[in-house]
Amino acid sequence: MTHTRHRTARLAAATASAVLACTLLAASPGAQAAAADCFDREKEPYTSKVDSHLHFRPFGGKPIPWEEMLGYLQKSGVEYANVYGIGQTLPYDSSCTYYLDCPGTPVTPSMGNDFANAASYAADPPPDDVHLTMSMTFPDLAHPEGVLDRMELLDENYPGL
């Protein structure tokens, strides 16, 4: 089993375990007490602890600096975030910042943002109170040939992320 497939299998097993644990916790008699200990809505009524789909890099224009983004997560109380790049890029000389605003501007699959996110993480890991899960957003599912090779390339350059 390749490293990528093994990693995918581990992630699937961990996700299934987490779902099962949440289901069992919710069904238990002490669920309300446990939930109150876990997250107090009276103290933090509008705070989200998880951002399940956070783009650290934009389609076009400059990204928010890594350290600044981590600061926003800490200040807002987000403890867990799934970090996404944008798996497609606009031409480097385009004035577009969002592909739907510029009909006819080519948007092409790219590993650039995934590498940039991984490089930022490796150079400046998040603080202990922010847990980031890195993603791979580059796959062009309309043309899946070579996707596994590129996944392995990212894993080779940034093992463990």
Side-chain angles (χ1 to χ4, degrees):
M1 183 179 280
T2 67
H3 173 72
T4 303
R5 288 189 181 125
H6 182 68
R7 184 174 170 200
T8 302
R10 285 191 328 239
L11 181 59
T15 302
S17 296
V19 168
L20 177 60
C22 288
T23 302
L24 293 174
L25 177 62
S28 71
Q32 287 183 335
D37 289 341
C38 242
F39 190 75
D40 186 344
R41 283 282 181 204
E42 290 188 27
K43 290 181 185 173
E44 301 174 294
Y46 302 106
T47 304
S48 296
K49 295 294 183 182
V50 177
D51 189 328
S52 65
H53 194 113
L54 178 59
H55 288 276
F56 268 54
R57 305 195 59 84
F59 271 106
K62 294 182 180 182
I64 294 172
W66 180 262
E67 300 82 16
E68 186 177 337
M69 183 65 87
L70 292 177
Y72 290 149
L73 293 173
Q74 285 184 297
K75 287 177 189 173
S76 65
V78 173
E79 296 178 21
Y80 301 91
N82 293 329
V83 177
Y84 287 85
I86 298 289
Q88 306 83 29
T89 56
L90 295 160
Y92 77 93
D93 58 352
S94 173
S95 62
C96 285
T97 56
Y98 184 59
Y99 72 102
L100 289 177
D101 292 340
C102 303
T105 302
V107 178
T108 55
S110 172
M111 295 181 74
N113 282 326
D114 293 329
F115 269 96
N117 281 338
S120 293
Y121 187 107
D124 186 15
D128 290 339
D129 60 340
V130 176
H131 307 277
L132 301 179
T133 302
M134 306 304 286
S135 68
M136 295 183 190
T137 58
F138 68 84
D140 180 356
L141 300 181
H143 301 95
E145 58 280 350
V147 167
L148 185 57
D149 292 335
R150 289 186 291 267
M151 289 173 73
E152 289 172 350
L153 177 65
L154 196 54
D155 275 340
E156 286 170 18
N157 282 274
Y158 297 98
L161 291 184

